[in-house]
Amino acid sequence: MNIYDIAQLAGVSIATVSRVVNDSPRVSEKTKQKVMAIMEENGYTPNVFARGLGLDSMKTIGIMCPDVSDAYMATAIAHLESRMHEHGYDCILCCTGYEQSVKEKYVSLLLAKRIDALIMVGSVYSGSGGSDSLVQYVRDAAKNIPVFLINGYLDHENVYCAYGDDYQATYDVTSQMIERGRKRILFLCDSHSYSATQKLEGYESALKSHGLPVLGDLKLYVKNRIHSVRDILLERRDLKFDSVVATDDGLAVGAIKYANSKLLKIPEDLCITGFNNSALSICSDPELSSVDNKVEELCNLTINNMMKILHGKAEEVSRDTKIPCRLVKRCTTDF
Amino acid sequence: MNIYDIAQLAGVSIATVSRVVNDSPRVSEKTKQKVMAIMEENGYTPNVFARGLGLDSMKTIGIMCPDVSDAYMATAIAHLESRMHEHGYDCILCCTGYEQSVKEKYVSLLLAKRIDALIMVGSVYSGSGGSDSLVQYVRDAAKNIPVFLINGYLDHENVYCAYGDDYQATYDVTSQMIERGRKRILFLCDSHSYSATQKLEGYESALKSHGLPVLGDLKLYVKNRIHSVRDILLERRDLKFDSVVATDDGLAVGAIKYANSKLLKIPEDLCITGFNNSALSICSDPELSSVDNKVEELCNLTINNMMKILHGKAEEVSRDTKIPCRLVKRCTTDF
DNA sequence: ATGAAAGCGCTAACAG
DNA sequence: CTGTTAGCGCTTTCAT
């Protein structure tokens, strides 16, 4: 059942049918009704491939993330999909992992599929700052379609960034710890992404501005697995710390497990903060104070920008949006 | 840059270029090399829309799930995407929520996009058993393309099911509790899906076969939010129970929180099991014993079946595969 | 082994 | 307001 069949049954030309399908005003109400009725009767659906071929678009966007099974990204993707769907777009999901070559391959695949735009979720797509060659594939993609970074930053034509102010959030949290008398704050991290770098800078900067030394020992990079974090902390008996700033909830929960198994009191003996305000933070015991970086807000903002751009209003949108994050206080902090 | 350009540059016809692109054996090695070189040089990529129009396929499958931000589904989808990608297929992700009309709408959208197959993750897509009219849209989809249910069951031509044996798993867990002397086992549930029904039957069946009564009070249906579960349990002071069989980890963690805030000893005073073996189960304190229903295995099985079917070997695959689940024992059980 | 040409189903410019 | 027609880029017979 194609447009010709419908045209014939309705006794009109295919152009008229096409106009009806595309809701053109240049059709009389009467023929419109007739054609619609016939389409309805026959359960006609326009062929998306043919339409795509003509319009060079299938109203599809690509969403890349390193790993949907991560709670933070999953939440982001759920929001993005739902908002895109409202706008009549479909989403091709790509879980790229963290390997450079795989990320690059996914981008070319997506470009070959002629997606209308690309969203990249996670700071792993912006290298550690933006100017290195590791992000060349992002710039290349931007030559063809608008690219949206969520929680990443890259200064380039046709790439639009939205991210939480990780620097400031970490600065604030660290400062509050110091003002509460903490002297040895452990910075617990699992990556060297742009976001991680921002957090580290916030941490160090708070230390410095409060006259505390930045100690290399107190910057610990580990794999993000709860038990492994706990065990590493347990083994490092040399390492003394009275508080933990973790760059992710999983790491923070690891620290909680460590404290619990050493029978340390939280927050008195050990003050802990996490990042992302995920389900983990209300699941642990005691419940975790965690920085909420507003995924939902970032997603909405991104979608709104995208719609403007896809409708030719690129000048209305900023390429760089930073939004403030704040600590959701629970039981692992004394401030 | 299209096939005509390449043909011209290579001094051959578009048919030859097409043959090279599709790796047809009916091209001389020499021209093949030449054409490939030219394509390489010019970074030529065949237009997927045009190809789709001719072949009526764009090597894309649809994946539906009620909510990717749920850890269990996120894991499933991560696996599915990665396996499909290996096979050269892209995935359109649809987060349908739980509403009937939305689920139906997504299916028609997906069919209109001419996907090659459809995967539905979660037992919400199989009604409460399979024969009611609520699953008609699934049957309709199956008229056009193969449909794969993960964790759902529906007996119908062209729909293929893979699910964990929730009945048996719940039967076993409940039985062990009884054999350990538990008398009042709370069945904590948040839905009436096919899977939930299976679990309930396993629970009741274990009770009966051990000569225990099935008490309506001890079947509690609640919303799956940790704190709300805890609070409901706290408020129901009339309700006496010495153990909890929860149909999801979130619910089980709610029960843990309840026990902790009443200073009940786990598992002595309250024995608890969850379902899905998610990150929550190692995050809580004490850590949760949880039934692992082998998402990964279900996903692999599904993809393998799908590949066979898409390659015309439908007779080789069973429409109904049930796999055993087992309890991962942690600290909330005494068996 | 290669080429010519007929679709695939739709959109849009153009003509009435 | 409606119809005619030329693409869109590729696959696939059917000739050669």
Side-chain angles (χ1 to χ4, degrees), chain B residues 151-165:
Chain B
N151 249 339
Y153 174 69
L154 180 55
D155 180 17
H156 192 269
E157 184 67 29
N158 214 23
V159 357
Y160 301 83
C161 313
Y163 49 95
D165 192 345

Side-chain angles (χ1 to χ4, degrees), chain B residues 121-195:
Chain B
V121 181
S123 59
V124 292
Y125 299 108
S126 42
S128 49
S131 60
D132 52 297
S133 69
L134 291 178
V135 294
Q136 190 52 46
Y137 70 107
V138 181
R139 293 201 197 87
D140 290 341
K143 278 175 198 148
N144 300 288
I145 47 170
V147 174
F148 299 84
L149 264 38
I150 289 186
N151 249 339
Y153 174 69
L154 180 55
D155 180 17
H156 192 269
E157 184 67 29
N158 214 23
V159 357
Y160 301 83
C161 313
Y163 49 95
D165 192 345
D166 294 333
Y167 169 88
Q168 191 62 45
T170 316
Y171 180 93
D172 290 344
V173 163
T174 310
S175 296
Q176 298 208 55
M177 287 185 176
I178 298 169
E179 283 155 21
R180 273 301 196 156
R182 310 283 168 175
K183 303 278 183 219
R184 298 185 58 87
I185 305 175
L186 182 67
F187 180 78
L188 203 50
C189 189
D190 67 339
S191 101
H192 291 277
S193 65
Y194 174 71
S195 161

Side-chain angles (χ1 to χ4, degrees), chain A residues 191-233:
Chain A
S191 99
H192 291 279
S193 65
Y194 174 72
S195 162
T197 312
Q198 290 298 301
K199 290 168 186 168
L200 178 61
E201 283 179 15
Y203 164 78
E204 294 187 345
S205 176
L207 250 30
K208 284 177 197 152
S209 67
H210 287 77
L212 253 44
V214 175
L215 271 14
D217 271 4
L218 288 177
K219 294 185 272 191
L220 194 56
Y221 284 80
V222 296
K223 261 189 73 179
N224 194 344
R225 324 235 89 231
I226 292 175
H227 288 155
S228 120
V229 173
R230 178 198 58 194
D231 296 342
I232 287 172
L233 257 24

